[in-house]
Amino acid sequence: MSKRITLDPITRIEGHLRIDVEVNGGKVSKAWSSAQMWRGIETILKGKAPEDAWSLAQRFCGVCTTVHAISSIRSVENALKVEVPLNAQYIRNIMIAQHSVQDHIVHFYHLSALDWVDIVSALKADPKKAASIAQSISDWPGNSEKEFKAVQEKLKAFVAGGKLGIFASGYWGHPAMKLPPEINLIATAHYLKALDYQRKAAQAVAILGGKNPHIQNLVVGGVATAVNLENMATLNMERIAYLRTLMEETRDFVQKVYYPDMIAIASAYKEWFKYGAGVTNYLAVPEFPEDTKNTQFGLNGGVFFNGDLSTFKAITTHQDQYLINNISEGVAHAWYEGAATHHPWEGETKPDYTDFQENGKYSWCKSPRFEGKPVQVGPPAQLFAAYAGGNQKVKKLVDSTCQKIGVGVKDLHSTMGRLGARAIRAHLMADISLEYLDKLVNNLGKGDRTYANHTEIPKGEYKGVGFHEAPRGTLSHWMVIEDKKIKNYQAVVPSTWNASPRDEKGNMGPYEASLIGNPVANEEKPLEVLRTIHSFDPCIACAVHTIDPEGKEITKVKVL
Ligand code: NFE
Ligand code: MG
């Protein structure tokens, strides 16, 4: 007999997501992904000034604000064919990469680790043994017996006082938790440390962006970060030195703590490379522009279908017509009027709420499709694109990581593969941040002090798209400008691609498809469903860009 479980809301994500599954014989047989909030920022942007859109569009989300600013400003620059000076590209690239470092640290430790790490089991650990395990895999100076003992004492005091706080409703002792107590203690200690290091990455973004979240330094045609190496009020050598220190500290944390922890967790849960593949069509856009025209990039983009890299088509610029022409969004199962599919420049956002109808409309998320097919976006897509595109640095890192865990590259099509790909990507982003800082310093050293090409919005009609490879995957903002005002604005966001409901052909979106076959040992404690959904790092605020109408309660489950 099948059992229906509703998880609403899924926690440890941004926004409100409801997941419904039918479980048959310990496995998921049907799944629905339902975004339970609507924000309407695309509608608010209509009639506004194109040059201000980046600041408003950042409010799509409270997590990945920078990425919407970047996509938005790129959509205006693309529409008006404005070039962006190298200093501005480098400053933007550093902000993008540091934002990713912060985002991935938070996702791994604070939003997903507790699906795999049993905090309560850490009480039974031997701190000395924990230190010797940690020191055998990394030379991070924080991995001392003293440190692990202190964390264990803190945890003991919480438990004794009945104050587990944010950890109170975890699935502690669940049969699917498999880590030995010492690894649980190491991960708990690093969970706490990660709070400090994600802050350092956010500080790095704020040094360049003026503020974080919600950077303040963009302008059509560049950045408004004044650069003068001798002036105390601008970006000068002292600020650049401080930025470098922060970025080196976060790099060391990512490469010596996060990355080895992910390898330890992945190695202990190898069976999770078998679950959660779902949609194996992937899309990534090139990122980190290295010229003024957005035609040369540091990391590759591309698309391939059915998990088959021999179908890979490279996407090398943000002007690629195959990319631009093949994106559409449908609303057959989404709470918007009608059932039409539109290209984003012709896209509509007309809310039409019907309650959850599993064969009808059931989500605020639209269904983005590429060539009419669902695609998965995110770190695996970006790594696969770089791998297939011949990027030797990425290939080496992916191959060596897989070798350390004892899996193949094909195994990355999975729940654990998504977690692994994020750690690999964070490793890469930490290095990339420093590379662009060196490029910025070199370029300034050559005497180039330009940081913006002044741009006035002309009269007439223009269309533009701003692509960006965000921490959760491919992001695009589509703008139609008419007589200096925004006529249409559509954002097609990573979590919209991944959280999308079924389309007009009945094809499931990536979250839904990834759950089919997912094990569920205990229907009252569907920890395994959380594992797969959290592996995408859902952001529903982004996905549907306010209100949570009451859902019908079917089974009540505890969701940490
Ligand atoms: Ni709101 Fe985001 C990212 C964007 S959504 S977190 O990364 O764009 O998927
Ligand atoms: Mg949208």
Side-chain angles (χ1 to χ4, degrees), residues 191-252:
Y191 175 109
L192 299 171
K193 267 280 169 283
L195 292 166
D196 294 336
Y197 284 89
Q198 63 86 28
R199 193 179 60 236
K200 286 179 197 284
Q203 271 177 306
V205 175
I207 285 178
L208 296 171
K211 178 174 170 289
N212 188 351
H214 301 117
I215 56 169
Q216 302 292 310
N217 68 324
L218 297 189
V219 60
V220 178
V223 293
T225 311
V227 185
N228 181 339
L229 299 185
E230 285 91 39
N231 186 327
M232 282 310 282
T234 63
L235 187 65
N236 54 35
M237 282 321 279
E238 182 270 332
R239 292 273 87 189
I240 287 175
Y242 183 46
L243 188 60
R244 188 182 298 280
T245 306
L246 285 171
M247 298 201 310
E248 285 172 352
E249 284 175 356
T250 50
R251 177 200 56 196
D252 287 356

Side-chain angles (χ1 to χ4, degrees), residues 297-314:
F297 292 87
L299 282 179
N300 316 55
V303 60
F304 66 102
F305 300 96
N306 303 314
D308 179 2
L309 280 178
S310 74
T311 68
F312 180 74
K313 289 184 194 136

Side-chain angles (χ1 to χ4, degrees), residues 543-559:
V544 290
H545 354 288
T546 286
I547 309 298
D548 186 357
E550 296 298 311
K552 283 198 195 75
E553 184 178 296
I554 298 158
T555 302
K556 196 169 186 171
V557 294
K558 197 170 66 165
V559 190

Side-chain angles (χ1 to χ4, degrees), residues 42 60 329 349 366 489-493 496 542-545:
E42 290 164 330
F60 278 140
E329 284 194 303
T349 309
K366 294 181 183 174
Y489 201 102
Q490 293 289 327
V492 186
V493 180
T496 323
C542 270
V544 290
H545 354 288

Side-chain angles (χ1 to χ4, degrees), residues 108-419:
F108 182 69
Y109 286 104
H110 310 120
L111 303 180
S112 65
L114 301 185
D115 296 342
W116 311 92
V117 171
D118 188 335
I119 296 256
V120 173
S121 144
L123 292 172
K124 289 183 261 163
D126 170 0
K128 193 172 172 179
K129 198 166 150 202
S132 92
I133 295 172
Q135 287 161 12
S136 75
I137 52 181
S138 166
D139 60 0
W140 172 252
N143 287 331
S144 65
E145 181 185 347
K146 197 171 150 218
E147 169 77 15
F148 293 136
K149 210 171 163 52
V151 168
Q152 198 181 41
E153 291 303 322
K154 203 185 267 183
L155 208 53
K156 268 187 194 153
F158 282 157
V159 173
K163 288 188 197 140
L164 265 177
I166 56 162
F167 303 134
S169 59
Y171 288 137
W172 316 134
H174 192 287
M177 292 286 196
K178 284 177 42 180
L179 296 177
E182 284 71 27
I183 303 280
N184 285 318
L185 179 60
I186 294 169
T188 307
H190 293 165
Y191 175 109
L192 299 171
K193 267 280 169 283
L195 292 166
D196 294 336
Y197 284 89
Q198 63 86 28
R199 193 179 60 236
K200 286 179 197 284
Q203 271 177 306
V205 175
I207 285 178
L208 296 171
K211 178 174 170 289
N212 188 351
H214 301 117
I215 56 169
Q216 302 292 310
N217 68 324
L218 297 189
V219 60
V220 178
V223 293
T225 311
V227 185
N228 181 339
L229 299 185
E230 285 91 39
N231 186 327
M232 282 310 282
T234 63
L235 187 65
N236 54 35
M237 282 321 279
E238 182 270 332
R239 292 273 87 189
I240 287 175
Y242 183 46
L243 188 60
R244 188 182 298 280
T245 306
L246 285 171
M247 298 201 310
E248 285 172 352
E249 284 175 356
T250 50
R251 177 200 56 196
D252 287 356
F253 182 80
V254 165
Q255 298 183 353
K256 295 182 176 190
V257 181
Y258 171 7
Y259 178 78
D261 281 357
M262 184 280 301
I263 288 179
I265 289 179
S267 305
Y269 286 104
K270 259 196 208 150
E271 67 278 17
W272 281 90
F273 285 99
K274 290 209 275 300
Y275 305 123
V279 172
T280 54
N281 306 324
Y282 292 88
L283 168 69
V285 291
E287 190 50 82
F288 301 111
E290 296 190 339
D291 65 343
T292 60
K293 292 191 166 102
N294 286 0
T295 59
Q296 288 168 35
F297 292 87
L299 282 179
N300 316 55
V303 60
F304 66 102
F305 300 96
N306 303 314
D308 179 2
L309 280 178
S310 74
T311 68
F312 180 74
K313 289 184 194 136
I315 295 168
T316 55
T317 81
H318 286 182
Q319 288 89 34
D320 186 306
Q321 291 303 306
Y322 169 66
L323 169 68
I324 292 174
N325 293 333
N326 281 298
I327 294 176
S328 63
E329 284 194 303
V331 295
H333 292 277
W335 287 315
Y336 300 94
E337 283 178 16
T341 294
H342 290 295
H343 184 272
W345 276 322
E346 281 87 48
E348 294 177 346
T349 309
K350 297 182 180 159
D352 182 19
Y353 182 68
T354 64
D355 209 342
F356 186 101
Q357 299 177 338
E358 66 176 51
N359 296 313
K361 290 182 182 266
Y362 62 89
S363 178
W364 285 114
C365 240
K366 294 181 183 174
S367 300
R369 295 294 183 258
F370 190 80
E371 286 189 334
K373 301 178 190 96
V375 304
Q376 189 184 145
V377 299
Q382 192 180 29
L383 295 182
F384 284 133
Y387 199 98
N391 184 315
Q392 289 309 310
K393 181 169 181 190
V394 172
K395 190 172 181 302
K396 226 170 116 186
L397 191 56
V398 170
D399 285 340
S400 67
T401 310
C402 287
Q403 205 182 8
K404 283 180 195 136
I405 301 169
V407 294
V409 175
K410 263 189 175 296
D411 294 314
L412 294 177
H413 301 289
S414 61
T415 296
M416 192 54 85
R418 277 184 290 273
L419 290 178

Side-chain angles (χ1 to χ4, degrees), residues 14 60-64 67-68 99 103 470-473 475 493-496 537 539-543:
E14 160 82 10
F60 278 140
C61 185
V63 171
C64 63
V67 306
H68 294 296
H99 167 69
D103 194 290
R472 286 159 199 75
L475 169 65
V493 180
S495 292
T496 323
D537 194 4
C539 176
I540 305 310
C542 270

